[in-house]
Amino acid sequence: SPVLLPTVIAAAAGSNVAVGCQNIHFAEEGAYTGETSIGQLIAVGGTHTLIGHSERRQYFAETDEIVNKKLHTALKHNIIPIVCIGEVLAEREAGQTESILKIQVTGAFAGITAEAAAPIVIAYEPVWAIGTGKTATPEMAADAHKIIRAEVANLLGSDAANAIRILYGGSVKPDN
């Protein structure tokens, strides 16, 4: 929650823990009630933000175009963006995982140069494995990461693709 950021940032001071928010608005200023502005995040000392989380896409109708606008805003202000991508269960079962991941990466990275992409983190979050008790196997996650890295290479070149950080963000528990 944005209201907790100052407390968390103060608690993490002097450690190697970075703090960010779960979402930012793409507009740098304006009347966007309830949204966290980039200026608010910077003012409290936040350094990271999630962009395009599945719940933002599902419940707030965020499109790849909106994700892209937010990505540009974060990069412009030196906030480290964690771009979330992933397929829903119906897409996985229909064999569409690869095409969905490519569409989401391409949409998110529109207008981003290889040089600008350096701080970006991509979080592969299979929507079907968030809060459902289902988990992707290590092989599923590795396959998705390979697809994502290949698409980044297509867009930005192999050097940028090799350097980009890709995380797994589905349901993770001690036993998996």
Side-chain angles (χ1 to χ4, degrees), residues 47-132:
T47 58
H48 293 64
T49 185
L50 293 179
I51 297 175
H53 190 277
S54 63
E55 290 156 4
R56 295 292 308 179
R57 291 175 187 260
Q58 180 181 357
Y59 301 126
F60 298 94
E62 285 192 5
T63 63
D64 293 328
E65 180 182 3
I66 291 171
V67 170
N68 176 255
K69 288 179 180 182
K70 290 180 177 191
L71 180 56
H72 280 274
T73 299
L75 291 173
K76 179 179 177 182
H77 293 277
N78 297 313
I79 295 296
I80 297 171
I82 304 165
V83 179
C84 305
I85 63 171
E87 77 282 12
V88 299
L89 185 59
E91 292 165 339
R92 173 160 280 280
E93 289 176 344
Q96 298 173 328
T97 298
E98 182 171 355
S99 64
I100 294 299
L101 296 180
K102 286 181 176 183
I103 288 166
Q104 290 178 348
V105 169
T106 300
F109 280 63
I112 303 294
T113 65
E115 297 75 26
I120 299 172
V121 177
I122 299 174
Y124 169 59
E125 297 189 317
V127 181
W128 53 270
I130 300 173
T132 63

Side-chain angles (χ1 to χ4, degrees), residues 122-154:
I122 299 174
Y124 169 59
E125 297 189 317
V127 181
W128 53 270
I130 300 173
T132 63
K134 298 180 181 183
T135 56
T137 65
E139 294 77 20
M140 289 174 169
D143 287 346
H145 286 200
K146 184 176 177 183
I147 292 164
I148 294 163
R149 198 170 303 280
E151 190 60 23
V152 173
N154 287 339

